mmCIF file of all heavy atoms in Angstrom:
data_model
loop_
_atom_site.group_PDB
_atom_site.id
_atom_site.type_symbol
_atom_site.label_atom_id
_atom_site.label_comp_id
_atom_site.label_asym_id
_atom_site.label_seq_id
_atom_site.Cartn_x
_atom_site.Cartn_y
_atom_site.Cartn_z
ATOM 1 N N ILE A 157 -19.355 175.778 94.429
ATOM 2 C CA ILE A 157 -20.107 175.260 93.218
ATOM 3 C C ILE A 157 -19.185 175.258 92.018
ATOM 4 O O ILE A 157 -19.153 174.252 91.201
ATOM 5 C CB ILE A 157 -21.336 176.248 92.973
ATOM 6 C CG1 ILE A 157 -22.318 175.972 94.087
ATOM 7 C CG2 ILE A 157 -21.983 175.856 91.626
ATOM 8 C CD1 ILE A 157 -23.518 176.922 94.125
ATOM 9 N N THR A 290 -12.163 166.873 81.989
ATOM 10 C CA THR A 290 -11.736 168.253 81.991
ATOM 11 C C THR A 290 -12.088 169.027 83.186
ATOM 12 O O THR A 290 -13.240 168.977 83.626
ATOM 13 C CB THR A 290 -12.179 169.054 80.697
ATOM 14 O OG1 THR A 290 -13.640 168.832 80.624
ATOM 15 C CG2 THR A 290 -11.536 168.548 79.448
ATOM 16 N N HIS A 292 -13.168 172.135 85.476
ATOM 17 C CA HIS A 292 -13.863 173.340 85.211
ATOM 18 C C HIS A 292 -12.936 174.564 85.546
ATOM 19 O O HIS A 292 -12.916 175.553 84.801
ATOM 20 C CB HIS A 292 -15.132 173.524 85.977
ATOM 21 C CG HIS A 292 -15.906 174.737 85.739
ATOM 22 N ND1 HIS A 292 -16.651 174.991 84.646
ATOM 23 C CD2 HIS A 292 -15.963 175.867 86.486
ATOM 24 C CE1 HIS A 292 -17.156 176.187 84.705
ATOM 25 N NE2 HIS A 292 -16.737 176.771 85.846
ATOM 26 N N ILE A 303 -13.570 169.794 93.749
ATOM 27 C CA ILE A 303 -13.056 169.498 92.489
ATOM 28 C C ILE A 303 -14.134 169.318 91.419
ATOM 29 O O ILE A 303 -14.903 168.392 91.524
ATOM 30 C CB ILE A 303 -12.065 168.308 92.576
ATOM 31 C CG1 ILE A 303 -11.069 168.560 93.671
ATOM 32 C CG2 ILE A 303 -11.543 167.894 91.205
ATOM 33 C CD1 ILE A 303 -10.409 167.272 94.158
ATOM 34 N N THR A 304 -14.181 170.236 90.487
ATOM 35 C CA THR A 304 -15.294 170.268 89.490
ATOM 36 C C THR A 304 -14.705 169.773 88.154
ATOM 37 O O THR A 304 -13.650 170.213 87.758
ATOM 38 C CB THR A 304 -15.924 171.627 89.357
ATOM 39 O OG1 THR A 304 -14.825 172.631 89.178
ATOM 40 C CG2 THR A 304 -16.729 172.036 90.561
ATOM 41 N N PHE A 305 -15.401 168.898 87.535
ATOM 42 C CA PHE A 305 -14.939 168.288 86.264
ATOM 43 C C PHE A 305 -16.037 167.841 85.376
ATOM 44 O O PHE A 305 -17.175 167.550 85.831
ATOM 45 C CB PHE A 305 -13.833 167.261 86.422
ATOM 46 C CG PHE A 305 -14.340 166.017 87.256
ATOM 47 C CD1 PHE A 305 -14.867 164.895 86.691
ATOM 48 C CD2 PHE A 305 -14.252 166.104 88.668
ATOM 49 C CE1 PHE A 305 -15.271 163.788 87.366
ATOM 50 C CE2 PHE A 305 -14.801 164.922 89.423
ATOM 51 C CZ PHE A 305 -15.222 163.816 88.764
ATOM 52 N N ASN A 306 -15.735 167.695 84.101
ATOM 53 C CA ASN A 306 -16.711 167.220 83.138
ATOM 54 C C ASN A 306 -16.158 166.039 82.391
ATOM 55 O O ASN A 306 -14.915 165.815 82.364
ATOM 56 C CB ASN A 306 -17.058 168.334 82.141
ATOM 57 C CG ASN A 306 -17.912 169.401 82.713
ATOM 58 O OD1 ASN A 306 -17.337 170.406 83.229
ATOM 59 N ND2 ASN A 306 -19.170 169.281 82.680
ATOM 60 N N LEU A 307 -17.071 165.249 81.767
ATOM 61 C CA LEU A 307 -16.731 164.191 80.922
ATOM 62 C C LEU A 307 -16.937 164.629 79.428
ATOM 63 O O LEU A 307 -17.505 165.692 79.245
ATOM 64 C CB LEU A 307 -17.465 162.912 81.232
ATOM 65 C CG LEU A 307 -16.785 162.063 82.395
ATOM 66 C CD1 LEU A 307 -17.146 162.704 83.764
ATOM 67 C CD2 LEU A 307 -17.184 160.675 82.417
ATOM 68 N N ASN A 309 -19.114 164.109 77.234
ATOM 69 C CA ASN A 309 -20.510 164.452 76.987
ATOM 70 C C ASN A 309 -21.442 164.130 78.104
ATOM 71 O O ASN A 309 -21.116 163.345 78.981
ATOM 72 C CB ASN A 309 -21.050 163.851 75.628
ATOM 73 C CG ASN A 309 -20.948 162.290 75.703
ATOM 74 O OD1 ASN A 309 -21.446 161.726 76.585
ATOM 75 N ND2 ASN A 309 -20.112 161.727 74.721
ATOM 76 N N GLU A 310 -22.655 164.627 78.016
ATOM 77 C CA GLU A 310 -23.603 164.412 79.127
ATOM 78 C C GLU A 310 -23.953 162.924 79.332
ATOM 79 O O GLU A 310 -24.236 162.580 80.464
ATOM 80 C CB GLU A 310 -24.894 165.312 78.876
ATOM 81 C CG GLU A 310 -24.743 166.666 79.494
ATOM 82 C CD GLU A 310 -26.041 167.483 79.408
ATOM 83 O OE1 GLU A 310 -27.118 166.852 79.666
ATOM 84 O OE2 GLU A 310 -25.974 168.650 78.988
ATOM 85 N N GLU A 313 -21.372 161.438 81.332
ATOM 86 C CA GLU A 313 -21.424 161.928 82.677
ATOM 87 C C GLU A 313 -22.460 161.259 83.470
ATOM 88 O O GLU A 313 -22.244 160.831 84.604
ATOM 89 C CB GLU A 313 -21.681 163.508 82.637
ATOM 90 C CG GLU A 313 -20.518 164.344 82.853
ATOM 91 C CD GLU A 313 -20.707 165.797 82.450
ATOM 92 O OE1 GLU A 313 -21.913 166.269 82.422
ATOM 93 O OE2 GLU A 313 -19.744 166.455 82.241
ATOM 94 N N LYS A 314 -23.644 160.976 82.853
ATOM 95 C CA LYS A 314 -24.726 160.273 83.524
ATOM 96 C C LYS A 314 -24.292 158.894 83.853
ATOM 97 O O LYS A 314 -24.512 158.403 84.967
ATOM 98 C CB LYS A 314 -25.957 160.311 82.600
ATOM 99 C CG LYS A 314 -27.245 160.377 83.344
ATOM 100 C CD LYS A 314 -28.378 160.664 82.328
ATOM 101 C CE LYS A 314 -29.673 160.120 82.961
ATOM 102 N NZ LYS A 314 -30.709 160.160 82.049
ATOM 103 N N PHE A 316 -21.296 157.788 84.229
ATOM 104 C CA PHE A 316 -20.203 157.862 85.194
ATOM 105 C C PHE A 316 -20.869 157.943 86.648
ATOM 106 O O PHE A 316 -20.423 157.171 87.517
ATOM 107 C CB PHE A 316 -19.312 159.092 84.941
ATOM 108 C CG PHE A 316 -18.240 159.345 86.009
ATOM 109 C CD1 PHE A 316 -17.044 158.659 85.982
ATOM 110 C CD2 PHE A 316 -18.484 160.381 86.951
ATOM 111 C CE1 PHE A 316 -16.098 158.936 87.070
ATOM 112 C CE2 PHE A 316 -17.531 160.603 87.932
ATOM 113 C CZ PHE A 316 -16.354 159.886 87.998
ATOM 114 N N LEU A 317 -21.796 158.861 86.725
ATOM 115 C CA LEU A 317 -22.402 159.085 87.999
ATOM 116 C C LEU A 317 -23.229 157.817 88.469
ATOM 117 O O LEU A 317 -23.152 157.455 89.696
ATOM 118 C CB LEU A 317 -23.333 160.315 87.994
ATOM 119 C CG LEU A 317 -22.549 161.684 87.871
ATOM 120 C CD1 LEU A 317 -23.535 162.809 87.531
ATOM 121 C CD2 LEU A 317 -21.760 161.981 89.110
ATOM 122 N N GLY A 327 -22.412 161.676 96.254
ATOM 123 C CA GLY A 327 -22.252 163.151 96.210
ATOM 124 C C GLY A 327 -21.369 163.656 95.053
ATOM 125 O O GLY A 327 -20.954 164.801 95.109
ATOM 126 N N LEU A 328 -21.250 162.840 94.027
ATOM 127 C CA LEU A 328 -20.364 163.300 92.914
ATOM 128 C C LEU A 328 -21.037 164.119 91.856
ATOM 129 O O LEU A 328 -20.416 164.680 90.917
ATOM 130 C CB LEU A 328 -19.702 162.097 92.229
ATOM 131 C CG LEU A 328 -18.579 161.386 93.079
ATOM 132 C CD1 LEU A 328 -18.157 160.090 92.393
ATOM 133 C CD2 LEU A 328 -17.416 162.325 93.308
ATOM 134 N N ASN A 329 -22.395 164.336 91.974
ATOM 135 C CA ASN A 329 -23.011 165.222 90.991
ATOM 136 C C ASN A 329 -22.626 166.633 91.217
ATOM 137 O O ASN A 329 -22.535 167.148 92.280
ATOM 138 C CB ASN A 329 -24.615 165.160 91.300
ATOM 139 C CG ASN A 329 -25.117 163.789 91.230
ATOM 140 O OD1 ASN A 329 -24.584 162.936 92.014
ATOM 141 N ND2 ASN A 329 -26.100 163.587 90.493
ATOM 142 N N GLY A 330 -22.483 167.372 90.088
ATOM 143 C CA GLY A 330 -22.250 168.766 90.214
ATOM 144 C C GLY A 330 -23.433 169.447 90.835
ATOM 145 O O GLY A 330 -24.512 168.832 90.844
ATOM 146 N N HIS A 331 -23.271 170.710 91.254
ATOM 147 C CA HIS A 331 -24.382 171.462 91.828
ATOM 148 C C HIS A 331 -25.544 171.477 90.781
ATOM 149 O O HIS A 331 -25.230 171.638 89.591
ATOM 150 C CB HIS A 331 -23.960 172.841 92.195
ATOM 151 C CG HIS A 331 -25.004 173.604 93.001
ATOM 152 N ND1 HIS A 331 -25.906 174.465 92.363
ATOM 153 C CD2 HIS A 331 -25.277 173.684 94.358
ATOM 154 C CE1 HIS A 331 -26.703 174.971 93.312
ATOM 155 N NE2 HIS A 331 -26.322 174.551 94.457
ATOM 156 N N ARG A 332 -26.821 171.437 91.218
ATOM 157 C CA ARG A 332 -27.896 171.482 90.232
ATOM 158 C C ARG A 332 -27.877 172.601 89.349
ATOM 159 O O ARG A 332 -28.451 172.591 88.214
ATOM 160 C CB ARG A 332 -29.235 171.359 91.032
ATOM 161 C CG ARG A 332 -29.469 172.496 91.949
ATOM 162 C CD ARG A 332 -30.668 172.308 92.837
ATOM 163 N NE ARG A 332 -30.902 173.408 93.715
ATOM 164 C CZ ARG A 332 -30.328 173.695 94.760
ATOM 165 N NH1 ARG A 332 -29.262 172.882 95.218
ATOM 166 N NH2 ARG A 332 -30.510 174.764 95.481
ATOM 167 N N SER A 333 -27.206 173.758 89.707
ATOM 168 C CA SER A 333 -27.219 174.878 88.802
ATOM 169 C C SER A 333 -26.177 174.747 87.676
ATOM 170 O O SER A 333 -26.239 175.570 86.696
ATOM 171 C CB SER A 333 -26.956 176.165 89.685
ATOM 172 O OG SER A 333 -25.653 176.065 90.276
ATOM 173 N N VAL A 334 -25.184 173.973 87.774
ATOM 174 C CA VAL A 334 -24.106 173.952 86.811
ATOM 175 C C VAL A 334 -23.866 172.539 86.163
ATOM 176 O O VAL A 334 -23.242 172.394 85.093
ATOM 177 C CB VAL A 334 -22.779 174.422 87.284
ATOM 178 C CG1 VAL A 334 -22.861 175.896 87.692
ATOM 179 C CG2 VAL A 334 -22.270 173.642 88.536
ATOM 180 N N GLY A 335 -24.367 171.491 86.747
ATOM 181 C CA GLY A 335 -24.224 170.154 86.207
ATOM 182 C C GLY A 335 -22.782 169.605 86.374
ATOM 183 O O GLY A 335 -22.019 170.079 87.174
ATOM 184 N N GLY A 336 -22.455 168.656 85.484
ATOM 185 C CA GLY A 336 -21.101 168.133 85.528
ATOM 186 C C GLY A 336 -20.886 167.268 86.809
ATOM 187 O O GLY A 336 -21.896 166.816 87.487
ATOM 188 N N CYS A 337 -19.653 167.111 87.212
ATOM 189 C CA CYS A 337 -19.290 166.318 88.362
ATOM 190 C C CYS A 337 -18.458 167.184 89.412
ATOM 191 O O CYS A 337 -17.829 168.121 88.992
ATOM 192 C CB CYS A 337 -18.430 165.146 87.975
ATOM 193 S SG CYS A 337 -19.179 164.110 86.701
ATOM 194 N N ARG A 338 -18.656 166.876 90.644
ATOM 195 C CA ARG A 338 -17.893 167.525 91.647
ATOM 196 C C ARG A 338 -17.568 166.574 92.782
ATOM 197 O O ARG A 338 -18.404 165.843 93.223
ATOM 198 C CB ARG A 338 -18.688 168.701 92.194
ATOM 199 C CG ARG A 338 -18.188 169.366 93.485
ATOM 200 C CD ARG A 338 -18.911 170.499 93.932
ATOM 201 N NE ARG A 338 -20.380 170.215 94.207
ATOM 202 C CZ ARG A 338 -21.176 171.057 94.696
ATOM 203 N NH1 ARG A 338 -20.894 172.338 95.033
ATOM 204 N NH2 ARG A 338 -22.456 170.662 94.967
ATOM 205 N N ALA A 339 -16.311 166.596 93.220
ATOM 206 C CA ALA A 339 -15.865 165.866 94.306
ATOM 207 C C ALA A 339 -15.495 166.830 95.474
ATOM 208 O O ALA A 339 -14.531 167.639 95.249
ATOM 209 C CB ALA A 339 -14.721 164.913 94.024
#
Side-chain angles (χ1 to χ4, degrees):
I157 293 174
T290 47
H292 179 79
I303 300 160
T304 46
F305 58 96
N306 289 88
L307 278 77
N309 57 58
E310 269 184 45
E313 261 164 19
K314 213 167 153 191
F316 174 83
L317 291 169
L328 288 173
N329 304 54
H331 189 269
R332 62 190 182 281
S333 61
V334 295
C337 307
R338 169 175 57 175

